[in-house]
DNA sequence: CTAATGACATTTG
DNA sequence: ACAAATGCCATTA
């Protein structure tokens, strides 16, 4: 029996480079509305490079937060081709990955 | 087992 | 449109 967090990692690891998703989508994909619980799992993130937790943003493409710092998260996204301005993802609708 | 917390989202002011 | 308050779920103390 896998914990809720592992479930998040499973779906999140499906997100390819240059693409982002939201906490709500992940929770919805798991059949739950615990957006916050998803964030907790991301913060722990035991599967560092395997699970691209930095590709998870809030609704509307808002970056929200990051364990290593929001700046680091934005930097990684930009490095993957996702443009971020003012802590928000540009072209969010285009980079958004629906689960 | 109960209480408190958090990388959110939605509803009010 | 922005800021603050409330509600939600799972995890941790």
């Amino acid at each position: 029996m896998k914990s809720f967090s592992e479930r998040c990692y499973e779906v999140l690891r499906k997100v390819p480079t240059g693409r982002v998703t939201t906490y709500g989508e992940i929770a919805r994909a798991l059949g739950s509305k615990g957006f916050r619980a998803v964030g907790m799992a991301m913060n722990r993130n035991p599967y560092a490079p395997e699970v691209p937790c930095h590709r998870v943003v809030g609704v509307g493409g808002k970056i929200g937060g990051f364990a290593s710092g929001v700046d680091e998260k934005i930097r990684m996204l930009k490095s993957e081709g996702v443009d971020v301005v003012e802590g928000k993802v540009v072209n969010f609708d285009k980079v958004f990955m629906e689960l």
Side-chain angles (χ1 to χ4, degrees):
Chain A
M1 149 183 180
K2 293 177 174 211
S3 298
F4 182 84
S5 305
E6 300 221 353
R7 282 269 192 252
C8 298
Y9 306 139
E10 260 186 273
V11 291
L12 179 56
R13 89 198 264 175
K14 294 190 226 162
V15 180
T17 307
R19 207 70 39 147
V20 294
T21 184
T22 67
Y23 302 91
E25 273 308 299
I26 295 174
R28 194 177 67 82
L30 298 176
S32 287
K33 287 99 185 158
F35 327 100
R36 319 193 73 176
V38 176
M40 219 175 237
M42 299 303 100
N43 190 3
R44 287 165 47 99
N45 189 22
Y47 302 84
E50 191 178 343
V51 177
C53 43
H54 61 269
R55 290 182 196 148
V56 183
V57 296
V59 64
K62 211 161 106 80
I63 295 300
F66 197 58
S68 308
V70 186
D71 180 59
E72 197 67 10
K73 180 172 179 175
I74 294 173
R75 185 200 298 195
M76 269 199 279
L77 287 171
K78 286 198 164 206
S79 186
E80 294 187 348
V82 182
D83 195 13
V84 180
V85 178
E86 298 284 311
K88 281 171 267 180
V89 178
V90 186
N91 312 332
F92 174 66
D93 294 12
K94 305 183 180 191
V95 295
F96 173 64
M97 176 84 167
E98 192 175 323
L99 306 171

